[in-house]
Amino acid sequence: MSEQEPDEEPTPAPEPPARRRTPEQTRDDTDRGWGERPDEDEHDRWLREQRPPHWE
């Protein structure tokens, strides 16, 4: 009589490493990254535009 090997489940293949998604825009690819400063008066200008009519 020949000896039979026990039924073993095949070992699953390891999962591939997760791919890292690259950002659409890097920090260096912005105006601030290039050293440009935002318009500092822009907020003040917006506040003046939003001023209610009864303040005049």
Side-chain angles (χ1 to χ4, degrees):
M1 261 173 89
S2 66
E3 207 172 296
Q4 292 183 352
E5 294 181 19
D7 291 334
E8 294 182 15
E9 293 183 22
T11 307
E15 294 183 19
R19 286 188 156 187
R20 294 179 69 183
R21 193 171 148 211
T22 57
E24 293 179 16
Q25 185 178 38
T26 63
R27 199 174 338 153
D28 295 338
D29 197 23
T30 61
D31 291 341
R32 190 176 291 263
W34 281 93
E36 296 179 13
R37 298 178 64 172
D39 186 6
E40 295 175 358
D41 294 329
E42 183 177 352
H43 182 67
D44 292 339
R45 185 172 32 248
W46 179 83
L47 288 174
R48 284 192 298 273
E49 291 172 358
Q50 302 304 317
R51 188 173 172 171
H54 66 274
W55 281 15
E56 292 179 4

